[in-house]
Amino acid sequence: MIINIQKLEEGVSSYDIDETAEKLGIDIEDTKFLSKVKCTLDVDNKIERFTVRGKVKTVLETVCARCGKVFKRNIDADFDHKYVKGSFQEDGQIFKEGLDEELLAGAELDLFDDVRQAVLLAASEIAVCSEKCKGICPGCGKNLNKAKCTCEGEDSKPFANLKKLLKEKKKK
Ligand SMILES: [Zn+2]
Ligand SMILES: [Zn+2]
C-alpha cells in the first residue's frame, strides 16, 4: 500500500491493512501464518516529519525455542516509525535530524514495508510454547516436559555447574 506523502493531508490519516503474509512479502523460516496480518495504521503528518504508528496482529505457527515443539503463537505488537522528509541542502548534503528517524527522500511511502518490519521484529523475539516449558536436557536430550531426566553425575547437570560457577565468581 503506497501513499503519497505530498498529497497527504496534514494531521492524522488512518489505514487498515488486512493481507496475507505472502502478499506483504513476509517469509520466516520454520514459521507458518495461520491467519492474515491485520494492522491499523495512523500516519501523523507534520510539515517536516511524520510518524507511522501501528498495531499489528496475526497468528503464527512456530517452533518453541526450548523444547522444539510446534505451537500456535499470537502476535500483537505496537510500533512507531518516525520519518523526516528529505531535503537537499545547498552543498548537496541530505538534511536529517534525529538518529531514530528514517529519511524519506521521495514522495512515496510503502506502508507494507512498515508492517513487514513490525511483523519480522515481533516474530524474531524468542518464543516458548509455555512459560513452564522445561525444554530439552542438554545432557540426555530428553524432552523434560514429557520425561524425567536420566542424566547421572554432577557434570551433566547444567544448573549445578552454573551454581558452582556463580559461587566461584563470588569468591573472587
Ligand atoms: Zn516448549
Ligand atoms: Zn538429562
Side-chain angles (χ1 to χ4, degrees), residues 137-140 149-161:
C137 171
C140 64
C149 173
T150 53
C151 290
E152 280 168 23
E154 187 99 326
D155 283 347
S156 48
K157 286 181 190 160
F159 291 112
N161 279 342

Side-chain angles (χ1 to χ4, degrees), residues 63-69 71 127-130 132-135 143 145:
V63 177
C64 172
R66 281 186 208 153
C67 72
K69 189 178 96 174
F71 73 105
V128 289
C129 63
S130 146
K132 287 178 192 148
C133 176
K134 297 189 192 100
N143 182 337
N145 298 313

Side-chain angles (χ1 to χ4, degrees), residues 18-118:
D18 187 0
E19 293 285 357
T20 61
E22 201 184 0
K23 185 97 187 278
L24 292 165
I26 305 169
D27 187 14
I28 308 167
E29 207 181 319
D30 292 333
T31 301
K32 201 164 93 186
F33 284 81
L34 300 178
S35 81
K36 282 187 172 181
V37 176
K38 285 185 199 233
C39 187
T40 50
L41 288 158
D42 283 339
V43 180
D44 190 359
N45 187 31
K46 304 254 170 66
I47 294 161
E48 280 177 351
R49 48 173 44 83
F50 60 99
T51 307
V52 179
R53 273 181 222 105
K55 200 170 179 43
V56 67
K57 280 186 184 184
T58 190
V59 185
L60 307 175
E61 197 176 77
T62 190
V63 177
C64 172
R66 281 186 208 153
C67 72
K69 189 178 96 174
V70 172
F71 73 105
K72 210 169 108 178
R73 177 181 179 197
N74 290 307
I75 296 281
D76 191 347
D78 293 329
F79 64 89
D80 201 320
H81 293 161
K82 293 186 178 77
Y83 295 89
V84 273
K85 292 172 192 173
S87 61
F88 289 92
Q89 289 173 321
E90 279 173 24
D91 58 1
Q93 294 278 320
I94 296 175
F95 167 82
K96 182 180 180 290
E97 263 181 66
L99 288 171
D100 62 335
E101 295 169 326
E102 278 178 63
L103 181 83
L104 191 81
E108 288 179 340
L109 174 73
D110 188 353
L111 291 180
F112 279 9
D113 275 343
D114 289 284
V115 176
R116 189 163 43 236
Q117 276 181 41

